């Protein structure tokens, strides 16, 4: 098993490198960029340009009474942005002893090729230096940690509740296959799966968050004002009070897939010969179900754990976050893509991609934990 794990770990590097190359290449083809975003924001705002560039003529009025900035940003300012964001560098003439500057006649701006920029970025990522956001003046790591509580809340509780409810429910549906319990629970599960998460979230708000009926739950955030001054018990109750609606909205479609997957896995195993043999030997139904069937049937459920965990944890629903005013990784990823905030995009992609690959290896270890008969090393 040790050799298998080492091989899987060795594959992490080329896999992650391939993911980064593809996404970096795609961003080079997408029109617009961070410089264009800043230019679109600042053109015409003379005072802002003057403050950012430190030049007197950037926000000065021309002879016609209009701001010079309204006719376009100063070239020196755009060149400084390109250098600051790592798209270009300042190259000075040989023998130049002063501080390199765009304004110096002996220095000029030189564009950095995309390939070179990629290798510089990956070199920094090897030391987990993800840089700083272009638009927020905060490091990517600190920005992720700032948004992480929302994703931890949605991901952890959604995954935990989904497994705690769906697995026992799926087992009971398999044992009572074809009964009235199986029929009406299947109807409820399929109906819940068909409801879009955002529509269910809006319905929860209208009914339970001060819409047209009850005002039992808060509309936004993870905690109330003054939460730091609460006692430990009050903090726990307040936290659970805030997360009830968003977690419920996040769970609406998770139950269906996991419950039906568990049921079908158990049905397949219950019909096999070894189950009939165990029953013929006089073993109790609980011993047959949980001592023999459970170990085999749960393999396919465990196989889907990494995808479910990462999908909910790192890709928390943007719409759910917007509806309940939760500033998490979903909104961070969306805004970063719109703003072309490359350090945030690539930093989170690298970190989450690495975590996803490691979780995939842990999933294989869970296979062995559930069923020691599985030997990946021998099969490979």
């Amino acid at each position: 098993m040790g050799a298998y794990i080492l091989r899987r770990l060795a594959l992490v590097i080329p896999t992650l490198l391939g993911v980064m190359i593809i996404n970096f290449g795609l961003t080079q083809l997408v029109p617009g960029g961070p410089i264009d975003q800043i230019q679109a924001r600042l053109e015409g705002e003379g005072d802002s340009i003057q403050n950012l560039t430190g030049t007197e003529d950037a926000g000065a009025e021309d002879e016609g009474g209009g701001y010079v900035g309204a006719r376009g940003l100063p070239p020196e300012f755009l060149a400084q942005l390109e250098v600051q964001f790592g798209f270009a560098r300042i190259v000075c003439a040989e023998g130049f002893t002063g501080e390199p500057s765009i304004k110096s006649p002996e220095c000029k701006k030189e564009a950095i090729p995309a390939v070179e920029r990629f290798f510089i970025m990956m070199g920094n990522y090897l030391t987990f230096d993800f840089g700083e956001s272009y638009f927020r003046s905060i490091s990517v790591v600190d920005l992720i940690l700032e948004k992480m509580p929302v994703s931890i809340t949605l991901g952890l509780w959604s995954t935990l509740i989904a497994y705690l409810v769906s697995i026992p429910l799926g087992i009971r549906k398999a044992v009572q296959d074809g009964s009235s319990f199986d029929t009406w629970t299947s109807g409820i599960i399929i109906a819940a799966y068909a409801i879009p998460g955002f529509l269910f979230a809006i319905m929860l708000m209208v009914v339970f968050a001060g819409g047209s009926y009850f005002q039992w739950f808060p509309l936004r955030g993870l905690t109330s004002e003054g939460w730091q001054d609460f006692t430990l018990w009050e903090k726990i109750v307040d936290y659970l009070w805030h997360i009830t609606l968003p977690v419920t909205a996040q769970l609406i479609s998770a139950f269906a897939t996991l419950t039906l997957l568990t049921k079908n896995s158990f049905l397949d195993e219950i019909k096999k010969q070894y189950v009939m043999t165990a029953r013929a030997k006089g073993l109790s139904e609980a011993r047959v179900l949980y001592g023999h069937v459970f170990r085999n049937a749960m393999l396919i459920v465990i196989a889907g754990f990494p995808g479910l965990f990462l999908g909910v944890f790192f890709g928390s629903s943007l719409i759910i976050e917007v509806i309940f005013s939760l500033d998490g990784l979903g909104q961070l990823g969306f805004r970063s893509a719109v703003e072309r905030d490359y350090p945030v995009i690539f930093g989170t992609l690298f970190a989450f991609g690495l975590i996803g690959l490691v979780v995939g290896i842990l999933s294989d270890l869970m296979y062995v934990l559930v069923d020691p008969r599985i030997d990946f090393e021998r099969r490979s």
Side-chain angles (χ1 to χ4, degrees):
M1 189 66 184
Y4 171 78
I5 294 176
L6 289 177
R7 285 196 298 270
R8 288 291 303 272
L9 289 174
L11 287 174
V12 167
I13 297 176
T15 303
L16 194 58
L17 183 62
V19 170
M20 296 300 296
I21 290 174
I22 293 173
N23 286 274
F24 186 86
L26 290 175
T27 59
Q28 307 308 305
L29 301 176
V30 175
I35 306 296
D36 298 322
Q37 294 290 326
I38 293 179
Q39 190 171 2
R41 291 183 181 185
L42 298 184
E43 278 190 344
E45 300 178 7
D47 293 336
S48 300
I49 299 171
Q50 182 177 355
N51 293 333
L52 287 169
T53 61
T55 58
E56 296 182 359
D57 60 342
E61 293 187 359
D62 61 11
E63 296 178 356
Y67 284 110
V68 175
R71 299 201 305 265
L73 295 178
E76 288 183 359
F77 174 63
L78 296 177
Q80 288 174 0
L81 282 179
E82 291 182 17
V83 173
Q84 179 183 341
F85 290 170
F87 296 109
R89 54 182 161 232
I90 301 175
V91 179
C92 298
E94 188 176 352
F96 179 78
T97 57
E99 183 179 353
S101 173
I102 295 294
K103 299 179 181 180
S104 174
E106 299 182 41
C107 300
K108 64 178 181 178
K109 180 193 72 173
E110 180 183 86
I112 301 177
V115 175
E116 184 178 346
R117 284 191 281 114
F118 176 78
F119 283 108
I120 292 174
M121 180 185 71
M122 294 304 298
N124 293 331
Y125 285 2
L126 291 178
T127 60
F128 294 96
D129 178 11
F130 299 119
E132 187 175 287
S133 170
Y134 288 158
F135 302 97
R136 298 176 179 85
S137 298
I138 183 175
S139 70
V140 174
V141 174
D142 291 339
L143 188 59
I144 293 175
L145 293 178
E146 180 183 313
K147 311 298 182 184
M148 190 65 77
V150 172
S151 296
I152 290 177
T153 294
L154 294 178
L156 179 63
W157 288 108
S158 298
T159 305
L160 181 62
I161 296 174
Y163 270 82
L164 289 178
V165 174
S166 297
I167 291 177
L169 180 60
I171 293 174
R172 185 175 177 185
K173 286 174 63 62
V175 173
Q176 301 183 17
D177 183 42
S179 65
S180 59
F181 172 81
D182 179 44
T183 301
W184 66 261
T185 53
S186 295
I188 294 175
I189 290 172
I190 294 173
Y193 183 75
I195 299 175
F198 76 92
L199 185 61
F200 187 64
I202 295 174
M203 183 188 72
L204 290 176
M205 289 188 63
V206 171
V207 176
F208 299 109
S212 303
Y213 299 94
F214 310 103
Q215 194 169 358
W216 292 349
F217 299 96
L219 281 172
R220 58 179 58 86
L222 291 179
T223 56
S224 301
E225 293 184 8
W227 186 79
Q228 295 82 359
D229 301 327
F230 292 175
T231 64
L232 178 60
W233 174 248
E234 288 174 339
K235 287 182 178 180
I236 294 175
V237 172
D238 183 74
Y239 171 73
L240 295 176
W241 182 48
H242 277 76
I243 69 173
T244 299
L245 294 187
V247 170
T248 303
Q250 186 89 349
L251 275 171
I252 186 65
S253 62
F255 286 121
T257 303
L258 193 56
T259 301
L260 296 179
L261 180 63
T262 303
K263 175 191 174 182
N264 292 332
S265 298
F266 269 79
L267 283 178
D268 290 340
E269 293 297 324
I270 288 174
K271 296 176 182 178
K272 290 184 178 179
Q273 183 66 39
Y274 75 90
V275 175
M276 291 185 287
T277 302
R279 286 171 175 167
K281 289 182 178 181
L283 296 180
S284 65
E285 190 65 21
R287 179 70 183 277
V288 171
L289 194 61
Y290 294 101
H292 295 76
V293 176
F294 183 84
R295 184 174 60 183
N296 296 323
M298 287 304 296
L299 289 176
I300 191 171
V301 177
I302 291 174
F305 175 79
L308 177 64
F309 177 78
L310 293 177
V312 175
F313 188 73
F314 295 126
S316 57
S317 175
L318 169 64
I319 299 178
I320 298 298
E321 290 184 10
V322 171
I323 291 175
F324 292 102
S325 299
L326 300 174
D327 191 10
L329 293 176
Q331 290 205 55
L332 174 64
F334 175 75
R335 288 198 300 266
S336 300
V338 171
E339 296 173 347
R340 306 294 194 270
D341 197 345
Y342 293 154
V344 178
I345 294 174
F346 294 129
T348 54
L349 181 66
F350 180 87
F352 296 161
L354 179 61
I355 293 174
L357 292 171
V358 173
V359 170
I361 298 175
L362 294 178
S363 177
D364 290 345
L365 296 179
M366 291 177 65
Y367 270 118
V368 178
L369 182 64
V370 173
D371 191 349
R373 296 173 299 173
I374 296 178
D375 187 348
F376 288 106
E377 187 170 346
R378 183 179 60 184
R379 295 179 69 178
S380 60

